[in-house]
Amino acid sequence: GERLKERAEEGGFLFPPRHGEGRFRGHCQRAAGLILEASAEVLDMSVDELKEQLKDGNSLAEVAEAQGMSVDDFKAGLLDEVKAKLDTLVDEEKLTQDRADRIFQAFEDHIDRIVDAHPGERGGCPPGPPRPFEDAPSTDVEPDA
């Protein structure tokens, strides 16, 4: 039980497994922040409220259902919200369109796993120092080199 809480606080359980460390870990943490913000927006709740639900062991799908939203409606709304946030980052020249398209495609390819994941399940950001939800950057993205 304690390990589940630790994994939830790390925030990485929302993502499919990836190999590598270092630079990717930072990108993964920023993606976690983006998904948390987008999910909270779709669910009409604060990011802090959503973090608490996830720390309690709920998946995003379970949180959506508890909010009275079907999982399919949540996924559709989440895809739209993530796309809008990525478009904003492109407009602000924080991401190239190509990079935003790649991020969105990866998100879309793994959306079922992301919304159904529970804390402690395999998958997530590469190992490294724990990064609690409270510290995960939101939509701050390093400009493309």
Side-chain angles (χ1 to χ4, degrees):
E2 193 61 35
R3 181 64 187 136
L4 290 177
K5 282 186 177 183
E6 289 173 16
R7 283 290 291 165
E9 289 174 3
E10 290 172 9
F13 67 90
L14 296 173
F15 298 94
R18 290 284 303 250
H19 300 287
E21 295 185 27
R23 184 175 168 156
F24 174 74
R25 180 167 176 75
H27 294 305
C28 188
Q29 289 295 335
R30 282 185 290 281
L34 181 100
I35 292 171
L36 283 170
E37 283 185 2
S39 295
E41 186 73 27
V42 171
L43 295 169
D44 195 28
M45 56 193 317
S46 73
V47 171
D48 288 338
E49 290 170 326
L50 179 57
K51 287 177 187 178
E52 286 303 313
Q53 290 291 314
L54 296 173
K55 286 179 185 178
D56 287 344
N58 296 305
S59 69
L60 289 171
E62 291 167 337
V63 175
E65 288 175 331
Q67 293 290 107
M69 181 179 284
S70 76
V71 175
D72 287 339
D73 287 346
F74 172 67
K75 288 191 294 189
L78 186 56
L79 285 166
D80 289 345
E81 189 65 28
V82 166
K83 178 75 169 121
K85 288 185 177 299
L86 290 170
D87 288 345
T88 298
L89 293 171
V90 169
D91 290 345
E92 294 172 353
E93 298 182 358
K94 293 182 178 180
L95 282 179
T96 63
Q97 186 64 57
D98 180 61
R99 185 166 169 204
D101 290 345
R102 286 183 283 140
I103 291 168
F104 184 77
Q105 185 62 55
F107 175 70
E108 188 174 39
D109 289 347
H110 298 287
I111 191 163
D112 290 331
R113 183 176 185 154
I114 291 167
V115 302
D116 292 333
H118 287 90
E121 290 182 345
R122 179 144 174 89
C125 295
R131 203 100 184 231
F133 284 122
E134 292 81 24
D135 296 335
S138 56
T139 54
D140 295 335
V141 177
E142 294 174 7
D144 289 326

